Amino acid sequence: MTKDVIALTPKMPDTWALLAGLYAGGPGLSVDTGHDGAVVQLCAADGRPLVSLEAPLLVQVPGEAERLLGGQVTSPEGPFWWTEARASTAAPEAERLAGSVAGRLTTLLGGTAWPPGAASTEVVPVAEDAEVSARPAAGGAHPTVDVLTESTAVVMCDRPVIALTAWLSHILRAAVESRRALQIVTPPGVRLSLPLRTALTGAPNRWVVKDPDCGYYDGLSGAVLRWQDGTFAPARDASGQAVVAEAFSAPALTSERQLIVAFRTVHNADENLVLGRALSAAWEALTGAAPSGWGTAEPINLPWSARKLTDLARDRAPESTQLLAVGDPARPALAGLRVTRVERGVAADATLTLGYGADEAPPLDAVEPLARTLAGSHGLTHMLVSLRRGRRDLAVPAHFEAPPIPVSYTLGAEGVRAAGLAHAQRPPLSLRPVQLGPDAGLALYYPLGDGTDAGTWPMLEKLTTHLEGPRA
């Protein structure tokens, strides 16, 4: 399992600071680069990779270090540079070497390092090991892939929160392109960030959790896992059924909740298009403030700018663009935004998740006005709002969490026209929709409940089946 040491510095690590860090093992080590210079690898004289140093990232969004690294770290005031050193466990000296690299950076540039106590400035001698030979990155694998087989790329991590970092995003893309699964192995007690949990959804990708009782289990499904034919796969009982780990099925109870707002907007593809305004409107309606930052990976590093994220999506067109957004740390909120070209123009699919403590009430009374705003001004096609029990900080634990419960569904004007107004206004349920907007662009808001009764799932199914009936 690799060990990560992260330097958080108020100044950019320049060439001289990086050289000082790379001399942490003395002059006997060699340096290699990969992925267009985004990764610098410190290697032993016999070729063994010891430490991989990621390109420094300027983080201009408050609260990201604390969100991802926990309360043990305090980031520098204002914008700061995030530099990761990942140590391989193939050599016992590698973890101390990564700590020395990070310690030299913080000594020269100021700031702090995570985990506490890992940083130093000592020279770490590395013994030659004749029994170990250099292992090239097979198939173009990222140097921080720990195990690479014909079917699977395995990455071993140990942090408070495993996030969708740039290097992990690269590994995921490479795994997809090579038709491999990405499987992330962690010790117990680790959590995933919400964006990474979304990225790992669905087999063959897995979150593999070490467990003293069963060995390994899937942190998202609970299935007990075994290493079989070069991949982690579910263990089966005598009847051929998957076995659920006890650690997964016995969660700690929580009174904290998460409000989930998922919606699609469609826009004309012209030079005046600015994406992200609908997401910002939802954020302001539910929190009273706009998003704090956006980016393509974690830590989310750029100050919120709808125009700049639009420029990125335009540069990547016609390929789709996946973006992330984060809010003020005082009100935990994360969103994923996927931008794609569709026949009518440009579609933006957003999922905004907000966290609330046991003594905080989710703003359900703001949902209908939000639906009215999105339908009237932002090209809303549909919106589903739901509520679930889950951590306020939005991190994903390795135990069972109940699914969200629907609160409301909104059908935009185009959907109403396709279904027929009379038909859409009379669902086979004991509810009547609320009309939003003028007759020419009428949208319908369907209140389903307060997020406490799981019986609203059948109601939602009946509703969507009814609305799709005429089109089907």
Side-chain angles (χ1 to χ4, degrees):
M1 180 173 296
T2 53
K3 296 292 186 179
D4 304 341
V5 183
I6 301 172
L8 308 175
T9 61
K11 298 179 182 178
M12 178 182 176
D14 57 18
T15 302
W16 294 109
L18 290 173
L19 282 174
L22 293 172
Y23 263 94
L29 303 186
S30 62
V31 175
D32 195 6
T33 60
H35 298 277
D36 299 322
V39 178
V40 178
Q41 206 163 22
L42 201 56
C43 303
D46 53 20
R48 286 173 295 152
L50 302 172
V51 175
S52 296
L53 194 66
E54 301 288 326
L57 177 71
L58 178 61
V59 179
Q60 304 175 69
V61 180
E64 281 297 273
E66 292 77 9
R67 179 175 73 88
L68 299 178
L69 301 178
Q72 293 180 309
V73 67
T74 301
S75 61
E77 295 264 344
F80 63 92
W81 293 86
W82 176 299
T83 308
E84 296 196 14
R86 307 198 74 226
S88 169
T89 53
E93 311 93 338
E95 184 176 356
R96 289 171 51 219
L97 187 60
S100 183
V101 171
R104 289 163 180 249
L105 291 178
T106 55
T107 298
L108 290 171
L109 305 171
T112 188
W114 179 93
S120 74
T121 56
E122 64 179 329
V123 174
V124 181
V126 179
E128 292 189 12
D129 189 342
E131 296 181 0
V132 179
S133 59
R135 181 192 65 178
H142 195 282
T144 52
V145 171
D146 294 281
V147 178
L148 189 70
T149 72
E150 289 296 321
S151 64
T152 306
V154 178
V155 177
M156 302 180 182
C157 296
D158 185 3
R159 299 187 188 183
V161 177
I162 312 299
L164 188 62
T165 58
W167 61 266
L168 203 49
S169 296
H170 177 87
I171 292 172
L172 181 58
R173 288 193 300 270
V176 171
E177 291 170 0
S178 63
R179 298 183 181 275
R180 288 183 171 93
L182 171 61
Q183 297 185 344
I184 299 174
V185 181
T186 74
V190 168
R191 301 181 300 278
L192 299 188
S193 74
L194 198 56
L196 180 57
R197 189 259 181 271
T198 302
L200 287 180
T201 298
N205 299 328
R206 292 190 187 278
W207 174 20
V208 182
V209 182
K210 286 188 174 182
D211 182 71
D213 296 324
C214 68
Y216 298 93
Y217 71 93
D218 189 308
L220 300 180
S221 72
V224 174
L225 302 174
R226 296 287 181 267
W227 182 255
Q228 308 172 47
D229 300 322
T231 193
F232 284 99
R236 305 288 177 178
D237 60 17
S239 63
Q241 299 297 313
V243 180
V244 176
E246 184 177 346
F248 180 82
S249 56
L253 297 176
T254 178
S255 298
E256 298 178 344
R257 289 177 289 179
Q258 298 172 1
L259 182 65
I260 304 166
V261 182
F263 59 91
R264 165 174 275 208
T265 56
V266 177
H267 314 271
N268 294 328
D270 57 42
E271 65 276 6
N272 297 318
L273 172 62
V274 178
L275 297 165
R277 287 178 172 170
L279 179 58
S280 184
W283 221 296
E284 293 185 25
L286 298 172
T287 72
S292 296
W294 74 283
T296 57
E298 297 176 284
I300 297 170
N301 65 314
L302 300 171
W304 175 255
S305 171
R307 290 195 176 275
K308 289 184 178 180
L309 69 85
T310 301
D311 290 342
L312 177 63
R314 184 175 284 117
D315 289 343
R316 292 185 174 183
E319 299 297 321
S320 62
T321 299
Q322 186 75 40
L323 303 170
L324 303 174
V326 70
D328 187 281
R331 165 56 59 221
L334 282 167
L337 179 67
R338 180 176 172 82
V339 180
T340 53
R341 289 299 302 267
V342 294
E343 184 177 351
R344 290 179 46 225
V346 178
D349 292 281
T351 301
L352 169 60
T353 306
L354 306 102
Y356 298 89
D359 57 347
E360 296 175 309
L364 299 185
D365 57 349
V367 172
E368 182 184 328
L370 170 60
R372 190 180 302 275
T373 297
L374 296 180
S377 304
H378 296 282
L380 180 72
T381 65
H382 58 264
M383 179 173 73
L384 174 64
V385 177
S386 54
L387 192 65
R388 68 180 299 168
R389 292 198 177 274
R391 295 175 60 99
R392 183 181 187 272
D393 63 10
L394 307 181
V396 181
H399 62 64
F400 174 77
E401 290 188 307
I405 297 175
V407 170
S408 68
Y409 181 79
T410 304
L411 184 65
E414 181 180 347
V416 171
R417 286 192 293 269
L421 177 59
H423 182 82
Q425 285 181 316
R426 293 176 175 81
L429 301 167
S430 58
L431 63 85
R432 287 294 176 263
V434 178
Q435 296 185 4
L436 308 176
D439 292 343
L442 188 66
L444 294 176
Y445 172 82
Y446 301 86
L448 300 173
D450 62 0
T452 60
D453 182 5
T456 52
W457 273 115
M459 292 176 59
L460 177 64
E461 184 177 6
K462 287 183 180 180
L463 173 62
T464 54
T465 301
H466 172 78
L467 296 175
E468 291 171 359
R471 287 174 284 180

